[in-house]
Amino acid sequence: MSDEKMLKTENITFAYEEDAAPVLRGVSCEVRRGELVAVLGANGCGKSTLAKHFNAILLPTEGKVWVEDMDTADENKLLDIRQKVGMVFQNPDNQIVATVVEEDVAFALENLGVPPQEMRLRVDEAMELAGIYKHRAKGPHKLSGGQKQRVAIAGVIAMRPDCLVLDEATAMLDPRGRAQVMKTVRHLNRDFGITVVMITHYMEEAAEADRVLVMSGGEIVMNGTPKEVFVRSEEMKSLRLDVPQAQELCLALREAGLDVPTDIISTEDCAAMLARLLQTGRADG
Ligand SMILES: Nc1ncnc2c1ncn2[C@@H]1O[C@H](COP(=O)(O)OP(=O)(O)OP(=O)(O)O)[C@@H](O)[C@H]1O
Ligand SMILES: [Mg+2]
């Protein structure tokens, strides 16, 4: 990960209607190139509204949004911005437009007028990356939710974006589909350096991020590593948010009188701690 900025909002305010109360209230945040950032927050706190500012679907009422050094309010930069920052939404059925998988993945490129040879290359590459190449000739309606969502991701990846914004992209999927999509997202982030902003209600997904932003009432109220954020479990609960199950278990064991660390948030670390506890009677080995 570099220090280069990918996305930046400067004190942005946004209201959907002129006289309505603002939905975003002075949001300043920065996402560095190559980072995987999770955004958490209760229903209606403004997560999707913020996400839509990252590729100029919405423009701030006050303040500035930057994609690299491009001001999202600059109309001349709109195509560049949309190509650099791809969005994936919650419902895969609303994002699929063609009747064959590979045509769907090619759709946006076709609209951009990419030459056929180059298009073939990019579509194949994107389908490989999203792990749906073997389904390329199928009708999207024949696929599972997780597969459909990866078709949507492939369509975005074919544009060769620098950044992916996923707005609850796993919310409608079963656990298996969710795991497949997360694996694809991690692969794109780790192996191809694609910056990821991921809005989620799943704390286990957020635990895998480099950084977590927590929103409440149109503001960012926490910003830190997953451990830094989840260790504030009381605050999380007061915002009607959970902590990862691994941490929940550790907190319960601690309450029951065992000397268990409070900063365990991943299932793997929790399993290792439990194994030590069972073998030695001590959680810290
Ligand atoms: N198109 C719209 N017009 C008017 N108000 C809207 C519109 N979209 C969202 N809102 C309102 O703005 C507020 C923030 O909505 P937003 O969708 O950004 O929240 P969210 O954090 O993504 O919620 P969720 O977890 O339910 O997806 C809510 O009060 C919502 O009702
Ligand atoms: Mg939302």
Side-chain angles (χ1 to χ4, degrees):
M1 196 191 318
S2 69
D3 285 339
E4 232 178 296
K5 83 165 181 261
M6 181 71 234
L7 305 172
K8 184 174 185 175
T9 71
E10 282 174 1
N11 203 17
I12 60 171
T13 301
F14 178 82
Y16 279 98
E17 277 145 57
E18 216 169 307
D19 298 324
V23 168
L24 296 179
R25 303 187 302 152
V27 173
S28 295
C29 66
E30 193 169 325
V31 175
R32 293 190 296 278
R33 180 174 288 279
E35 250 190 320
L36 197 167
V37 174
V39 181
L40 302 176
N43 290 335
C45 72
K47 302 180 296 297
S48 297
T49 306
L50 177 62
K52 286 177 185 152
H53 279 77
F54 288 143
N55 75 344
I57 295 175
L58 295 175
L59 297 175
T61 313
E62 280 169 50
K64 289 256 175 236
V65 179
W66 303 94
V67 171
E68 293 178 336
D69 57 356
M70 296 183 286
D71 182 342
T72 59
D74 183 349
E75 275 179 41
N76 298 317
K77 295 283 178 357
L78 191 60
L79 278 180
D80 278 349
I81 287 169
R82 293 275 166 84
Q83 188 276 319
K84 262 195 200 299
V85 183
M87 295 272 284
V88 180
F89 297 98
Q90 191 176 99
N91 189 341
D93 292 320
N94 294 345
Q95 298 171 80
I96 286 173
V97 288
T99 51
V100 178
V101 165
E102 61 185 352
E103 284 171 16
D104 193 82
V105 175
F107 184 76
L109 290 184
E110 243 167 82
N111 286 348
L112 281 183
V114 173
Q117 254 186 328
E118 156 126 26
M119 190 154 77
R120 185 72 260 167
L121 207 75
R122 282 166 69 165
V123 167
D124 284 349
E125 178 190 86
M127 290 190 300
E128 285 281 4
L129 281 173
I132 47 136
Y133 187 79
K134 63 171 183 265
H135 303 301
R136 64 192 177 281
K138 289 188 188 161
H141 63 281
K142 294 243 168 79
L143 304 181
S144 71
Q147 290 165 338
K148 281 188 214 168
Q149 205 55 315
R150 285 182 290 141
V151 172
I153 291 175
V156 174
I157 290 301
M159 310 272 285
R160 303 234 168 114
D162 290 37
C163 180
L164 261 185
V165 178
L166 301 131
D167 189 354
E168 296 196 43
T170 61
M172 297 179 74
L173 309 180
D174 60 18
R176 183 147 173 264
R178 227 153 58 214
Q180 290 171 340
V181 167
M182 275 308 290
K183 190 171 159 220
T184 301
V185 168
R186 270 196 309 271
H187 176 49
L188 293 170
N189 176 252
R190 284 191 195 152
D191 305 328
F192 295 89
I194 293 184
T195 309
V196 175
V197 178
M198 179 176 79
I199 296 173
T200 182
H201 281 296
Y202 292 104
M203 301 303 147
E204 273 65 29
E205 293 178 359
E208 291 186 35
D210 296 316
R211 198 151 56 88
V212 176
L213 300 176
V214 181
M215 291 186 73
S216 175
E219 296 178 56
I220 291 178
V221 293
M222 289 192 226
N223 174 3
T225 63
K227 281 193 183 188
E228 285 167 351
V229 165
F230 288 124
V231 84
R232 294 158 72 175
S233 55
E234 288 306 314
E235 258 172 286
M236 291 296 277
K237 281 183 188 147
S238 72
L239 296 169
R240 285 175 288 131
L241 295 171
D242 295 325
V243 297
Q245 278 176 357
Q247 195 193 6
E248 196 87 60
L249 178 62
C250 291
L251 292 170
L253 288 174
R254 214 179 158 78
E255 250 169 57
L258 286 170
D259 187 18
V260 169
T262 51
D263 65 346
I264 290 181
I265 57 170
S266 79
T267 310
E268 290 74 21
D269 290 352
C270 184
M273 182 278 292
L274 287 174
R276 274 198 302 275
L277 191 64
L278 290 170
Q279 280 162 9
T280 66
R282 286 172 55 91
D284 56 8

